CSV table of all heavy atoms in Angstrom, one decimal:
chain,number,residue,atom,x,y,z
A,16,VAL,N,102.5,96.7,91.0
A,16,VAL,CA,101.5,96.4,90.0
A,16,VAL,C,101.6,95.0,89.4
A,16,VAL,O,102.7,94.7,89.0
A,16,VAL,CB,101.5,97.5,88.9
A,16,VAL,CG1,100.5,97.2,87.9
A,16,VAL,CG2,101.2,98.9,89.6
A,17,GLY,N,100.5,94.3,89.4
A,17,GLY,CA,100.6,93.0,88.8
A,17,GLY,C,101.1,91.9,89.8
A,17,GLY,O,101.2,90.7,89.3
A,18,GLN,N,101.3,92.2,91.1
A,18,GLN,CA,101.9,91.3,92.0
A,18,GLN,C,100.8,91.0,93.1
A,18,GLN,O,100.0,91.8,93.4
A,18,GLN,CB,103.2,91.8,92.6
A,18,GLN,CG,104.2,92.2,91.6
A,18,GLN,CD,104.8,91.0,90.9
A,18,GLN,OE1,105.2,90.0,91.6
A,18,GLN,NE2,104.9,91.0,89.6
A,19,VAL,N,101.1,89.9,93.9
A,19,VAL,CA,100.3,89.6,95.1
A,19,VAL,C,101.3,89.3,96.2
A,19,VAL,O,102.4,88.9,96.0
A,19,VAL,CB,99.4,88.4,94.9
A,19,VAL,CG1,98.2,88.7,93.9
A,19,VAL,CG2,100.1,87.2,94.5
A,20,MET,N,100.8,89.3,97.4
A,20,MET,CA,101.6,88.9,98.6
A,20,MET,C,100.6,88.4,99.7
A,20,MET,O,99.5,88.7,99.7
A,20,MET,CB,102.4,90.1,99.1
A,20,MET,CG,101.6,91.2,99.7
A,20,MET,SD,102.7,92.5,100.5
A,20,MET,CE,102.6,92.1,102.2
A,21,GLU,N,101.2,87.6,100.6
A,21,GLU,CA,100.5,87.2,101.8
A,21,GLU,C,100.8,88.2,102.9
A,21,GLU,O,101.9,88.6,103.1
A,21,GLU,CB,101.0,85.8,102.2
A,21,GLU,CG,100.5,84.7,101.4
A,21,GLU,CD,101.0,83.4,101.9
A,21,GLU,OE1,102.2,83.2,102.0
A,21,GLU,OE2,100.2,82.6,102.3
A,22,ALA,N,99.8,88.4,103.7
A,22,ALA,CA,100.0,89.2,104.9
A,22,ALA,C,98.9,88.8,106.0
A,22,ALA,O,98.1,87.9,105.7
A,22,ALA,CB,99.8,90.7,104.6
A,23,GLU,N,99.1,89.3,107.2
A,23,GLU,CA,98.2,88.9,108.2
A,23,GLU,C,97.8,90.1,109.0
A,23,GLU,O,98.6,91.0,109.3
A,23,GLU,CB,98.9,87.9,109.2
A,23,GLU,CG,98.0,87.1,109.9
A,23,GLU,CD,98.7,86.0,110.8
A,23,GLU,OE1,99.1,85.0,110.2
A,23,GLU,OE2,98.9,86.3,112.0
A,24,ALA,N,96.5,90.2,109.3
A,24,ALA,CA,96.0,91.3,110.1
A,24,ALA,C,95.2,90.7,111.2
A,24,ALA,O,94.2,90.1,111.0
A,24,ALA,CB,95.1,92.3,109.3
A,25,ALA,N,95.6,91.0,112.5
A,25,ALA,CA,94.9,90.4,113.7
A,25,ALA,C,94.7,88.9,113.5
A,25,ALA,O,93.6,88.5,113.8
A,25,ALA,CB,93.7,91.2,113.9
A,26,GLY,N,95.6,88.2,113.0
A,26,GLY,CA,95.5,86.7,112.8
A,26,GLY,C,94.7,86.3,111.6
A,26,GLY,O,94.5,85.1,111.4
A,27,VAL,N,94.3,87.2,110.8
A,27,VAL,CA,93.5,86.8,109.6
A,27,VAL,C,94.4,86.8,108.4
A,27,VAL,O,95.1,87.9,108.1
A,27,VAL,CB,92.3,87.8,109.4
A,27,VAL,CG1,91.5,87.5,108.1
A,27,VAL,CG2,91.4,87.8,110.6
A,28,GLY,N,94.5,85.7,107.7
A,28,GLY,CA,95.3,85.7,106.5
A,28,GLY,C,94.7,86.4,105.3
A,28,GLY,O,93.6,86.2,105.0
A,29,ILE,N,95.5,87.3,104.8
A,29,ILE,CA,95.0,88.1,103.7
A,29,ILE,C,95.9,88.0,102.5
A,29,ILE,O,97.1,87.9,102.6
A,29,ILE,CB,95.0,89.6,104.1
A,29,ILE,CG1,94.2,89.9,105.4
A,29,ILE,CG2,94.6,90.5,102.9
A,29,ILE,CD1,92.7,89.9,105.2
A,30,CYS,N,95.3,88.0,101.3
A,30,CYS,CA,96.0,88.1,100.0
A,30,CYS,C,95.9,89.5,99.6
A,30,CYS,O,94.7,89.9,99.3
A,30,CYS,CB,95.4,87.1,99.0
A,30,CYS,SG,95.9,87.4,97.3
A,31,LEU,N,97.0,90.2,99.5
A,31,LEU,CA,96.9,91.6,99.0
A,31,LEU,C,97.4,91.6,97.6
A,31,LEU,O,98.5,91.2,97.3
A,31,LEU,CB,97.8,92.4,99.9
A,31,LEU,CG,97.8,94.0,99.7
A,31,LEU,CD1,96.4,94.5,100.0
A,31,LEU,CD2,98.8,94.7,100.5
A,32,ALA,N,96.5,92.1,96.7
A,32,ALA,CA,96.8,92.1,95.3
A,32,ALA,C,96.8,93.6,94.8
A,32,ALA,O,96.1,94.4,95.2
A,32,ALA,CB,95.8,91.4,94.5
A,33,ASN,N,97.7,93.8,93.8
A,33,ASN,CA,97.8,95.1,93.2
A,33,ASN,C,97.5,94.9,91.7
A,33,ASN,O,98.2,94.4,90.9
A,33,ASN,CB,99.2,95.7,93.3
A,33,ASN,CG,99.3,97.1,92.8
A,33,ASN,OD1,98.6,97.5,91.9
A,33,ASN,ND2,100.3,97.9,93.3
A,34,VAL,N,96.3,95.4,91.3
A,34,VAL,CA,95.8,95.3,89.9
A,34,VAL,C,95.7,96.7,89.4
A,34,VAL,O,94.9,97.5,90.0
A,34,VAL,CB,94.5,94.5,89.8
A,34,VAL,CG1,93.9,94.6,88.4
A,34,VAL,CG2,94.7,93.1,90.3
A,35,ASN,N,96.4,97.0,88.4
A,35,ASN,CA,96.4,98.3,87.8
A,35,ASN,C,96.7,99.5,88.8
A,35,ASN,O,96.1,100.5,88.7
A,35,ASN,CB,95.0,98.6,87.1
A,35,ASN,CG,94.8,97.6,86.0
A,35,ASN,OD1,95.7,97.1,85.3
A,35,ASN,ND2,93.6,97.1,85.8
A,36,GLY,N,97.5,99.2,89.8
A,36,GLY,CA,97.9,100.2,90.8
A,36,GLY,C,96.9,100.4,91.9
A,36,GLY,O,97.1,101.2,92.8
A,37,GLU,N,95.9,99.5,91.9
A,37,GLU,CA,94.9,99.6,93.0
A,37,GLU,C,95.0,98.3,93.9
A,37,GLU,O,95.0,97.2,93.4
A,37,GLU,CB,93.5,99.7,92.4
A,37,GLU,CG,92.5,100.3,93.4
A,37,GLU,CD,91.1,100.5,92.8
A,37,GLU,OE1,91.1,100.8,91.6
A,37,GLU,OE2,90.1,100.3,93.5
A,38,LEU,N,95.1,98.5,95.2
A,38,LEU,CA,95.2,97.4,96.1
A,38,LEU,C,93.8,96.8,96.5
A,38,LEU,O,92.9,97.5,96.7
A,38,LEU,CB,95.9,97.8,97.4
A,38,LEU,CG,97.3,98.3,97.3
A,38,LEU,CD1,97.8,98.8,98.6
A,38,LEU,CD2,98.2,97.1,96.8
A,39,SER,N,93.8,95.4,96.5
A,39,SER,CA,92.6,94.7,96.9
A,39,SER,C,93.1,93.7,97.9
A,39,SER,O,94.1,93.1,97.8
A,39,SER,CB,92.0,94.0,95.8
A,39,SER,OG,91.5,94.9,94.8
A,40,ALA,N,92.2,93.4,99.0
A,40,ALA,CA,92.5,92.4,100.0
A,40,ALA,C,91.4,91.3,99.9
A,40,ALA,O,90.2,91.6,100.0
A,40,ALA,CB,92.4,93.1,101.4
A,41,LEU,N,91.9,90.1,99.7
A,41,LEU,CA,91.1,88.9,99.6
A,41,LEU,C,91.4,88.0,100.8
A,41,LEU,O,92.6,88.0,101.3
A,41,LEU,CB,91.3,88.2,98.3
A,41,LEU,CG,91.1,88.9,97.0
A,41,LEU,CD1,92.3,89.8,96.7
A,41,LEU,CD2,91.0,87.9,95.9
A,42,ASP,N,90.5,87.1,101.1
A,42,ASP,CA,90.8,86.0,102.0
A,42,ASP,C,91.9,85.2,101.4
A,42,ASP,O,91.9,84.9,100.2
A,42,ASP,CB,89.5,85.1,102.1
A,42,ASP,CG,89.7,84.0,103.0
A,42,ASP,OD1,90.8,83.8,103.6
A,42,ASP,OD2,88.8,83.2,103.2
A,43,ASN,N,93.0,84.9,102.2
A,43,ASN,CA,94.1,84.3,101.6
A,43,ASN,C,93.9,82.8,101.3
A,43,ASN,O,94.7,82.3,100.5
A,43,ASN,CB,95.3,84.4,102.6
A,43,ASN,CG,96.6,84.1,102.0
A,43,ASN,OD1,96.9,84.4,100.9
A,43,ASN,ND2,97.4,83.2,102.7
Side-chain angles (χ1 to χ4, degrees):
V16 175
Q18 305 289 314
V19 292
M20 67 176 256
E21 283 182 298
E23 202 177 280
V27 178
I29 302 282
C30 164
L31 187 63
N33 185 333
V34 172
N35 300 325
E37 201 175 326
L38 295 173
S39 298
L41 303 78
D42 180 359
N43 191 47

